[in-house]
Amino acid sequence: MFIKEVVIEGFRSYRHKTVVADLNERHNVVVGRNGSGKSNFFYAVHFVLSDEFRRMSDEQRAQLLHEGSGAEPTVMKAYVQITFDNTDQRISFDGSNELVIRRDLMMKKDQYYVNKKSMSHEEVMGLLEMAGFSRQNPYYIVKQGKIVQLATAPDSYRLKLLREVAGISLYDERKKESEHLLIETESKRAKIGEIMEDIAERLTNLEQEMAELREFQKLDKERRCLEYAISDTELRDTKDKLKAVDDQMQHETGARHGVTQRQMEVADEIESLENQERDMKNQIDQAVVETQQLRRQIEAQVKEKAKLSLQIEDISTLQLEDERQKEAAAAELEQLDDKITGARAGLEKLLPDFNSVVEREAQTLQRLVECKERQSALYAKQGRHRQFQTQLERDEWIREEVEELERDLAQKQNEVRLLTRDLMQLNEKNTFLAEEQQERTDQITQQRNTFGNTNKDRVEKKKRIDALENERK
């Protein structure tokens, strides 16, 4: 087995691909001027076959890459490839007569390839050790001063070197590793025996717990029957209460619709009164114009001055009374508008309460669904007996489940009380609103009667003015 070919590219002084082929199986001599790359060729072989360049920092990697010169940039990747003649099958790998070992070098990592197959550093070193390449003392690469060191070395060092050359030290290390593994195996075997004894004792305890578990399952079955009966009773009660709440909500919706319709009617009546008020203003303005005309005619009629003056004073008094009544009616109308606005505000205040009741109803329905899911979860917990290791843990779990059911029951009862109280408050508000609406309706009726009397007085005054006008003519 010998090196047939060496290919270098991007490694130290070798920027371009350099192929050194047709190497002799016995002796090869590399000659050249200083700086021609003889030492770098030696480092390239050392870089692939030795363990010296295993762990390198980023700076050391950068030193192995070709730095470039002038306009040439720094090389970012390099590789060294060594081809061995493996006809003697010293290294058994794929049965090939050639063994190609390549190492790629980059700024952050490097990678080995053996016959174009990716391998780790340890695997490559293992193949070389099988062929007699020693990792600790690479005798196959002789550096400067190595021969002098070997000549002056003691006999024990030489014996060690011979053992490494013969490949015996590799098997000694493997023997030590095997003995260490055998000791660990015996220790684990003893631990396994202890674990088996613990398991046997545990099986005895589990058999006792199994008998207790059967009794627990029997009692648990009775408990689940009672829980189902309680849950079913609560479910029927909740359904009845929800039905009553639905009926009450429908009734309140109808009442609310009636109040809204009544508000629309009141708004129409207010609009009609405003129209009548505008008509009265127009008629009063017309009466004022006619009065002025009468005054001019009375001034022209000297003989009837006193009589007409008295009549004009009476008419003025009546007009003042009409204006006072008009102002009073306007004030009452403003008060009525304020009351209507208050009623609308009250309705707007009632809407959040109504929406709150609807939301609580939805929450109650959601709680009902959660209770059903809880019931299903309780059924699913039948197989949980395997999680209890002791009777105390089982009793603790049963106690916690009972407490949780009691808390759920108390929460449901509290929700029912809150819903009942909210319904009573809503009924009281509806009653108060109906009474206030009836009071406002009575006020509107009274105001309408007042406006009717005012219109009658206005008609009578108009007739009197017409009569006076006819008499004057």
Side-chain angles (χ1 to χ4, degrees), residues 75 115 158 218 244 246 252 260 288 304 338 361 422 449-450:
V75 175
N115 288 355
R158 295 176 184 176
K218 181 178 178 182
D246 291 335
E252 291 175 358
T260 305
V288 170
E304 297 178 355
D338 295 337
E361 179 185 1
D422 292 339
N449 294 331
T450 303

Side-chain angles (χ1 to χ4, degrees), residues 351-366:
L351 284 176
D353 296 335
F354 177 76
N355 294 330
S356 177
V357 172
V358 173
E359 184 177 358
R360 288 182 180 177
E361 179 185 1
Q363 292 177 357
T364 304
L365 293 175
Q366 181 67 24

Side-chain angles (χ1 to χ4, degrees), residues 137-329:
N137 191 359
Y139 61 89
Y140 48 87
I141 297 176
V142 181
K143 299 181 181 179
Q144 292 182 0
K146 196 73 174 179
I147 297 176
V148 176
Q149 181 183 359
L150 183 62
T152 58
D155 294 338
S156 59
Y157 179 79
R158 295 176 184 176
L159 177 61
K160 181 180 179 181
L161 179 60
L162 290 174
R163 291 173 63 85
E164 290 177 355
V165 171
I168 298 174
S169 61
L170 174 64
Y171 295 102
D172 290 338
E173 292 178 359
R174 293 183 179 178
K175 179 181 178 182
K176 292 179 181 179
E177 292 178 357
S178 300
E179 291 176 351
H180 180 68
L181 290 175
L182 183 61
I183 293 172
E184 290 182 354
T185 304
E186 291 294 336
S187 177
K188 291 180 180 179
R189 183 178 179 184
K191 291 181 180 179
I192 291 172
E194 295 176 357
I195 293 172
M196 291 296 294
E197 293 178 357
D198 294 338
I199 291 174
E201 184 179 357
R202 183 62 180 165
L203 286 174
T204 304
N205 296 331
L206 288 176
E207 290 176 356
Q208 297 176 358
E209 292 179 0
M210 195 66 183
E212 295 178 357
L213 181 61
R214 292 192 184 95
E215 184 66 22
F216 167 73
Q217 289 177 346
K218 181 178 178 182
L219 297 176
D220 184 65
K221 184 177 181 181
E222 295 178 359
R223 179 184 62 81
R224 284 187 280 106
C225 292
L226 294 175
E227 289 178 354
Y228 176 77
I230 293 171
S231 300
D232 187 63
T233 304
E234 292 178 353
L235 182 61
R236 287 196 298 269
D237 293 341
T238 306
K239 287 182 177 179
D240 294 338
K241 291 177 181 179
L242 287 175
K243 185 177 180 182
V245 170
D246 291 335
D247 297 339
Q248 184 67 24
M249 292 299 296
Q250 291 178 0
H251 178 70
E252 291 175 358
T253 303
R256 185 184 298 276
H257 181 69
V259 170
T260 305
Q261 187 175 4
R262 182 57 183 167
Q263 285 181 348
M264 293 175 65
E265 293 176 356
V266 170
D268 294 337
E269 292 177 358
I270 291 171
E271 185 178 0
S272 176
L273 291 175
E274 290 176 352
N275 294 329
Q276 292 178 4
E277 182 182 1
R278 286 193 295 269
D279 294 338
M280 288 180 65
K281 287 181 179 179
N282 295 328
Q283 292 174 2
I284 290 171
D285 293 337
Q286 185 177 1
V288 170
V289 173
E290 291 176 355
T291 303
Q292 291 176 357
Q293 292 176 357
L294 286 173
R295 286 178 180 177
R296 287 194 299 269
Q297 291 175 2
I298 289 170
E299 289 176 357
Q301 301 290 333
V302 177
K303 292 180 181 181
E304 297 178 355
K305 181 179 180 180
K307 183 177 179 180
L308 292 175
S309 297
L310 294 172
Q311 292 177 356
I312 290 171
E313 289 178 0
D314 294 338
I315 292 171
S316 299
T317 304
L318 293 174
Q319 287 177 353
L320 291 174
E321 291 178 357
D322 289 340
E323 289 178 356
R324 285 195 297 271
Q325 290 178 0
K326 176 185 173 182
E327 292 176 356

